[in-house]
Amino acid sequence: MKTLIKNGRIVTAADEYVADLLIDGEKIVLIGAHLDESGADQVIDAAGLYVLPGGVDVHTHLAMPWRGVETCDDFFTGHRAAAFGGTTTHVDFSIQAKGGTLHEAVETWHAKANGKAVIDYSFHVAITDLTDSVMAEIAELPKIGVTSIKMFMAYKDSLQVDDMTLFKSMQVAAKSGVLSLVHAENGDAIEVLIAEAITAGNHAPIYHALTRPPELETEATSRAIWLAQVAGDAPLFVVHCTCEGALAAVSAARLRGQHVYAETCTQYLFFTKDALNGTADDPFDGAKYICSPPLRETSDSAALWRALRTGDITSLSTDHCPFTYAEQKALGRDSFAKVPNGAPGIEDRLYMLWNDGVLSGRLTPSRFVELVATNPAKMFGMYPRKGTLAIGSDADIVLWDGAAEHVVSAATHHSAIDYNLFEGRTVQGKPVKVFVRGQLVVDGDNLMAEKGSGAFIHRASPLLL
Ligand SMILES: [Zn+2]
């Protein structure tokens, strides 16, 4: 099956030009001017549209267990939402069970995706219980296509690891072509602050933010950076960087030449911790915005926007971690400490960054592509198969109407979640058609993909930027 996309404005991290693009089967095989239509089975006129590489979201939590509940999007509804937002590949976090192996974690997540996927996917693995045999497993992860591990420096008594685990994991990762990821917050200090808040009778959602101050993210980010340096200059990827202090630590490390990278997530660009105060009608509405690290101040958002432009932030992810407001967030009605941590956003990433980044003049279309597709594909060992439009790359393609206006709403989004952080906002930018490996998966308002058509991507070692 050959599909010819004509007259679109092709955007990569490097270039922007009008051309034709030919897909043969799953791959892009030709890009050029005035390509011959005669050999194509299908011709699509993309005049007036951008032709973008499919988005790559390297931070999601589909069907993730959390204290007796599970995120409400599985690998079908989560993928459906991603596809309608122009994301064609994601990397989800498989999590080692205490006492379990890393292979079991990855197998468990494979089972979650099997038969449901409609976009392509891969897995990180989170280390929660480091033994000698787990150390040996880290070194072998590239053989099963997993080239990134994550250590949580927060969530005491569940996911949190101590510094010895963090350091030893980084050491073995550095030698094995595996990227170390950290959730950087000081979980011990947070635990003390949460206990103090509860003792004082402070239960409202805003106390989620007040018990996780930015200094504790800055401290943990700095600690992880210095530990990575000593652990053989282990390449370090700081997930969801949210505040000026942490960003300064990342920038300083990069200036020293250390292999340190940071992502931020959409919500940190658009909201402050004030959102946790809820609405006049419903103070508990603030629970919708409970995610960790918490939302910060306007000055932090401004610093993140600057870093997106200058390059100190490498990529934009979502940390899509959807818990329903009506039932799951409601588990914490009597205390912020019981509210499941996480916010949705897998569908909203591209158009929010396009609207407030590109259309505002902060980012060029090429920088936009670099942040949402190219850099994450490089950092996570999927480039140039994913993340760009090039001869031989997978035909993961978004035909993007950069001017299409639409109103964001839970009533029309494609996730199973019952709210949307951007509810009611009018934005511009929307996919018209989305292809995954040459297959049309979204056509306007219609999902065209069959369940199970998404494929696991066996990742190579990171291409360090
Ligand atoms: Zn996360």
Side-chain angles (χ1 to χ4, degrees):
M1 171 83 174
K2 289 186 180 177
T3 302
L4 180 62
I5 298 172
K6 288 193 72 78
N7 308 316
R9 188 165 190 83
I10 292 177
V11 185
T12 68
D15 299 303
E16 194 182 324
Y17 53 90
V18 173
D20 303 341
L21 181 154
L22 183 66
I23 302 168
D24 188 357
E26 298 194 343
K27 301 288 185 185
I28 296 167
V29 294
L30 201 55
I31 298 173
H34 314 299
L35 296 184
D36 180 14
E37 293 182 20
S38 60
D41 303 294
Q42 180 184 201
V43 178
I44 296 168
D45 185 6
L49 300 176
Y50 291 92
V51 183
L52 310 176
V56 177
D57 187 350
V58 297
H59 192 154
T60 62
H61 301 279
L62 301 181
M64 186 193 74
W66 169 278
R67 299 181 187 166
V69 293
E70 193 172 282
T71 51
C72 67
D73 273 324
D74 65 8
F75 277 74
F76 175 65
T77 63
H79 281 194
R80 181 180 65 193
F84 275 99
T87 289
T88 54
T89 303
H90 75 120
V91 188
D92 206 84
F93 287 95
S94 69
I95 299 171
Q96 179 198 12
K98 290 268 162 74
T101 70
L102 304 186
H103 282 77
E104 284 163 1
V106 173
E107 283 310 311
T108 300
W109 259 257
H110 270 296
K112 291 174 192 274
N114 257 341
K116 292 188 173 166
V118 297
I119 64 169
D120 287 353
Y121 58 95
S122 194
F123 303 118
H124 317 281
V125 61
I127 311 294
T128 63
D129 191 2
L130 189 68
T131 60
D132 287 345
S133 65
V134 170
M135 290 269 285
E137 270 196 286
I138 292 174
E140 300 290 308
L141 284 174
K143 288 184 183 163
I144 57 168
V146 175
T147 51
S148 44
I149 56 171
K150 180 177 182 185
M151 282 71 75
F152 287 88
M153 300 168 78
Y155 299 123
K156 188 85 179 155
D157 300 323
S158 59
L159 298 168
Q160 186 173 330
V161 298
D162 60 17
D163 285 352
M164 186 181 283
T165 295
L166 178 58
F167 185 68
K168 289 169 88 171
S169 301
M170 286 173 170
Q171 280 185 316
V172 62
K175 289 184 197 137
S176 312
V178 170
L179 184 63
S180 292
L181 279 57
V182 284
H183 174 132
E185 286 187 291
N186 187 313
D188 289 81
I190 287 167
E191 205 60 19
V192 174
L193 296 179
I194 290 174
E196 285 177 1
I198 290 170
T199 302
N202 296 325
H203 296 298
I206 186 64
Y207 286 95
H208 173 76
L210 299 178
T211 55
R212 308 179 87 96
E215 290 84 352
L216 297 184
E217 181 185 337
T218 301
E219 182 278 329
T221 303
S222 305
R223 180 161 34 109
I225 286 171
W226 288 115
L227 290 175
Q229 164 89 31
V230 179
D233 190 15
L236 179 70
F237 189 87
V238 180
V239 303
H240 48 42
C241 182
T242 75
C243 62
E244 280 187 283
L247 201 50
V250 168
S251 302
R254 292 170 65 82
L255 271 176
R256 291 194 305 272
Q258 209 181 322
H259 289 103
V260 172
Y261 310 89
E263 71 173 12
T264 193
C265 302
T266 324
Q267 59 269 30
Y268 300 109
L269 300 172
F270 289 89
F271 302 102
T272 68
K273 73 176 195 299
D274 290 348
L276 278 77
N277 285 314
T279 62
D281 295 344
D282 181 11
F284 188 68
D285 189 78
K288 292 175 180 173
Y289 299 85
I290 287 186
C291 56
S292 295
L295 301 171
R296 303 297 191 190
E297 307 290 344
T298 309
S299 55
D300 294 301
S301 299
L304 295 172
W305 275 111
R306 285 196 300 275
L308 286 175
R309 184 168 57 76
T310 61
D312 278 341
I313 295 277
T314 298
S315 57
L316 183 75
S317 304
T318 63
D319 197 5
H320 181 72
C321 188
F323 293 105
T324 62
Y325 180 63
E327 296 193 353
Q328 296 178 318
K329 291 282 186 182
L331 295 168
R333 270 205 179 267
D334 64 336
S335 174
F336 73 93
K338 294 185 200 159
V339 176
N341 279 209
I346 201 166
E347 186 168 350
D348 312 308
R349 182 178 62 131
L350 269 62
Y351 55 70
M352 291 312 299
L353 190 67
W354 181 268
N355 191 72
D356 280 61
V358 177
L359 298 183
S360 73
R362 284 163 158 151
L363 306 172
T364 63
S366 284
R367 180 64 183 150
F368 166 85
V369 164
E370 193 168 33
L371 288 164
V372 301
T374 315
N375 281 355
K378 287 179 175 173
M379 289 303 307
F380 291 88
M382 296 183 281
Y383 183 87
R385 180 173 176 190
K386 305 293 190 188
T388 193
L389 301 173
I391 311 304
S393 294
D394 281 356
D396 297 350
I397 295 171
V398 178
L399 301 188
W400 181 260
D401 184 340
E405 204 168 82
H406 56 113
V407 180
V408 185
S409 175
T412 49
H413 72 196
H414 299 84
S415 159
I417 187 80
D418 58 352
Y419 70 96
N420 190 300
L421 294 181
F422 305 98
E423 184 72 35
R425 292 197 191 208
T426 301
V427 296
Q428 283 178 274
K430 198 179 182 180
V432 174
K433 292 181 193 290
V434 179
F435 297 85
V436 175
R437 279 176 289 105
Q439 289 291 313
L440 185 64
V441 298
V442 166
D443 191 5
D445 295 328
N446 302 309
L447 183 72
M448 310 300 286
E450 280 178 33
K451 277 187 176 184
S453 58
F456 174 73
I457 302 301
H458 184 106
R459 293 184 291 122
S461 288
L463 185 58
L464 298 178
L465 299 169

